[in-house]
Amino acid sequence: MALDPAVKNLIDTLNEQGLKSFEQMSIAEVREVVESFSGLQAPKADVARVVDTVYPGPGGDQAVRLYIPESETPLPIVVYIHGGGWVAGSLDVTEQPCRALAADAKVVVAALSYRLAPEHKFPAAPEDAFAGLNWVVEHAADFGGDGTRVAVMGDSAGGNLAAVTALRARDTGAPALRAQVLIYPVIDGTARFPSREENAEGYLVTTAAIDWFWEQYLATPEDAENPYASPAKAADLSGLPSTLLLLNEYEVTRDEGVDYGRRLADQGVPVQVELYEGLVHAVYWMTGAIPRSAELHGAVVEFLGKQFSG
């Protein structure tokens, strides 16, 4: 399918403005560009409460922001982990999609911060994410959440961390998860699928940029074989929670997501894979600029409704 017209217009505009590819930027520039995505978002939805607090991570306290809709009964919880190539992203740039999810899915969204690379390389981020999940479940009753109905969710590098967190929860036997939502996850540090070549340039996030992000994140090249860095390396995927995988046609990581979905299904995990033609990486954060980002949001809301109603 042809590139979505709104996506094409955005890419053309960014090219006219001389935006460099991420691997050509400094860490500070990458972080500034990623934060600027908030300017591509729709107005923020209202929720009953937003609570800023901290959870104790292995390297010290980390911020967590809770988005709580109005409810007289405990609500399901979505632990959301932001993307940004493990080096960028924040609770601020993801506030709009988190508010929308809380309001439309009628869930508590617990958005986690975590230590960023390259200052804090692997395994800092997944250690923080797992600690954050456990804190949220332990304190669910404090903010009107139901600790027996919990999902993990993330986009891009956050999708990686969500998948790793689900693996760790399975491996350690707790906490129990109802679902995982992986939005164009970057999950294989050694991936060599066709989409790396087909979509290497021209679609916001290049193959060179993906490789650069991995280089910032991993402490050693050997870490790419560790399932808690590259969840695609896990030999056993059985016992993972029901999974929603949202992938886009024009992105470098498309095929590693397709392969992960196939392997999950082969090992008995209920999995739903949606491939959006004409779209590119990062559109989940572009709710104002890319109208079709609403399709991804709608799929998440519908999926979570089914998982939490059972």
Short mmCIF file of all heavy atoms in Angstrom, two decimals, residues 19 43 48 93 164 216:
data_model
loop_
_atom_site.label_atom_id
_atom_site.label_comp_id
_atom_site.label_asym_id
_atom_site.label_seq_id
_atom_site.Cartn_x
_atom_site.Cartn_y
_atom_site.Cartn_z
N LEU A 19 15.65 17.79 9.21
CA LEU A 19 15.82 16.90 10.35
C LEU A 19 16.79 15.77 10.02
O LEU A 19 16.65 15.08 9.02
CB LEU A 19 14.46 16.30 10.76
CG LEU A 19 14.49 15.40 12.00
CD1 LEU A 19 14.78 16.23 13.25
CD2 LEU A 19 13.16 14.66 12.15
N PRO A 43 -5.42 17.05 21.64
CA PRO A 43 -5.63 17.56 23.00
C PRO A 43 -5.74 16.42 24.01
O PRO A 43 -6.20 15.33 23.71
CB PRO A 43 -6.95 18.33 22.88
CG PRO A 43 -7.03 18.73 21.45
CD PRO A 43 -6.41 17.59 20.69
N ALA A 48 -10.02 11.45 36.03
CA ALA A 48 -10.41 11.93 37.37
C ALA A 48 -9.21 12.40 38.18
O ALA A 48 -9.27 13.43 38.85
CB ALA A 48 -11.15 10.81 38.11
N VAL A 93 6.08 13.31 27.44
CA VAL A 93 5.77 13.18 26.02
C VAL A 93 4.70 12.11 25.78
O VAL A 93 4.01 12.14 24.76
CB VAL A 93 7.04 12.90 25.19
CG1 VAL A 93 7.54 11.47 25.39
CG2 VAL A 93 6.78 13.15 23.71
N VAL A 164 10.01 -7.98 27.74
CA VAL A 164 10.98 -8.51 28.70
C VAL A 164 10.34 -8.62 30.09
O VAL A 164 10.55 -9.61 30.80
CB VAL A 164 12.23 -7.61 28.75
CG1 VAL A 164 13.11 -7.96 29.93
CG2 VAL A 164 13.01 -7.71 27.44
N GLN A 216 23.81 2.08 21.85
CA GLN A 216 23.76 2.91 23.05
C GLN A 216 23.28 2.10 24.25
O GLN A 216 23.72 2.34 25.39
CB GLN A 216 22.83 4.11 22.86
CG GLN A 216 23.09 4.97 21.64
CD GLN A 216 24.55 5.30 21.46
OE1 GLN A 216 25.17 5.88 22.35
NE2 GLN A 216 25.10 4.94 20.30
#
